[in-house]
Amino acid sequence: KSGKRGSYCMFERGMDAAMRTRHLVRIELAGAMSRGELELHYQPLFDIASNHITACEALARWRHPERGLIPPNEFIPVAEESGLIIPLGAWVLEKACADAARWPIDAAVAVNLSPLQFRNSSLVDTVAKALAAADLRPDRLQLEITESVLLDDSAGNLATLRALRQLGVRIAMDDFGTGYSSFGYLRSFPFDKIKVDREFVRDLPDSPESLAILRAVVGLGQSLGMTTTVEGVETQDQLSAVRTEGFVEAQGYLLGVPVPNAEMVKILHGHRPV
Ligand code: C2E
Ligand code: CA
Ligand code: CA
Ligand code: CA
């Protein structure tokens, strides 16, 4: 009985701490943006066959003066709840396009979109402006959207996706396989890329179930003309397995961790074909 009570109290204290953090983040985040404490780090995506970098994914970080580098999971959801994701997301798009325009090779830049950002009527305009301001070729921008982005009102979503593609940008379905109707969305929406969640890579090469699912995704990608990408590749064995299955691209700590832009520029320099 006392054990139960104890764990209940701990749970409650845990909630308090989490709520306090959220509260602090909400208050501080707007200021953090104006003080320039937000950064984009970049993680490379590799073409598995040629071993070339095809794209770098922009991943937001908050360099907090006291708490150090804060990961996106601790502030993106708060920004989403408070609406701050609209200016934050616009900043990410502008910065990512500006950075990519100066890279030494013409790798694409992948940017994550949140649900609120996607439903905002100014999104297409924001993307167009970011491309124009950076003078970045539209096909060098890839927008990653998850199923949670598409959950409601498919007619409006379809119109937005079509308008984005009209701009010439590429659309990737992110975290494929983690939602309830991943396959349904592939039928309804014009994606250029399927990015399988790392959940299906984690227990490779020993999971026949994961392998079967990955194999099906490669087949789908080939029939639908979509690039197939895996994330979360951490070991050589995992890389070999997804290569054998026929995936086009891979991303993960084995191949490259997220680094600040200056660091990525050096990596891309060394990567330039000679
Ligand atoms: P995501 O889009 O699925 O991004 C991949 C996450 O997996 C990144 O975490 C990346 O650092 C991590 N990762 C990459 N390779 C490996 C690996 O080999 N093993 C493991 N265990 N993890 C790996 P990160 O940077 O913490 O980002 C977390 C999530 O935050 C992202 O998940 C994305 O949904 C969101 N996010 C990040 N930046 C932005 C942004 O600018 N806007 C929006 N809306 N969301 C963002
Ligand atoms: Ca992503
Ligand atoms: Ca992902
Ligand atoms: Ca993921």
Side-chain angles (χ1 to χ4, degrees), residues 34-209:
S34 56
R35 286 190 299 272
E37 291 171 11
L38 293 191
E39 295 179 6
L40 291 183
H41 286 200
Y42 292 97
Q43 184 181 29
L45 278 73
F46 285 78
D47 179 278
I48 295 176
S50 69
N51 210 25
H52 279 125
I53 294 177
T54 52
C56 299
E57 180 175 6
L59 296 161
R61 304 283 183 264
W62 177 2
R63 197 167 291 277
H64 193 282
E66 284 120 41
R67 294 201 282 144
L69 210 57
I70 302 179
N73 295 341
E74 287 181 32
F75 64 90
I76 293 286
V78 180
E80 177 86 17
E81 278 168 29
S82 63
L84 206 63
I85 193 71
I86 300 302
L88 195 159
W91 175 83
V92 170
L93 279 163
E94 282 163 28
K95 181 79 169 84
C97 290
D99 285 345
R102 289 155 185 229
W103 287 343
I105 64 170
D106 62 356
V109 64
V111 171
N112 294 286
L113 294 185
S114 83
L116 196 66
Q117 210 183 348
F118 190 80
R119 284 197 297 273
N120 192 272
S121 58
S122 62
L123 175 69
V124 178
D125 204 40
T126 303
V127 171
K129 282 189 175 133
L131 288 167
D135 196 19
L136 187 74
R137 239 176 43 220
D139 65 345
R140 291 188 57 199
L141 177 62
Q142 301 178 353
L143 300 174
E144 299 196 354
I145 61 176
T146 58
E147 280 178 43
S148 59
V149 166
L150 300 172
L151 273 183
D152 61 334
D153 168 47
S154 64
N157 288 338
L158 188 56
T160 302
L161 282 177
R162 289 208 171 120
L164 288 170
R165 282 188 109 207
Q166 206 66 40
L167 292 177
V169 305
R170 305 281 191 249
I171 315 281
M173 181 168 203
D174 200 1
D175 295 348
F176 183 83
T178 55
Y180 290 107
S181 47
S182 304
F183 289 93
Y185 288 114
L186 287 187
R187 193 184 52 188
S188 320
F189 296 108
F191 293 100
D192 299 285
K193 182 189 286 197
I194 311 171
K195 201 170 176 185
V196 179
D197 193 70
R198 69 165 174 269
E199 189 181 308
F200 299 97
V201 176
R202 200 172 34 212
D203 39 359
L204 291 184
D206 300 320
S207 163
E209 293 81 11

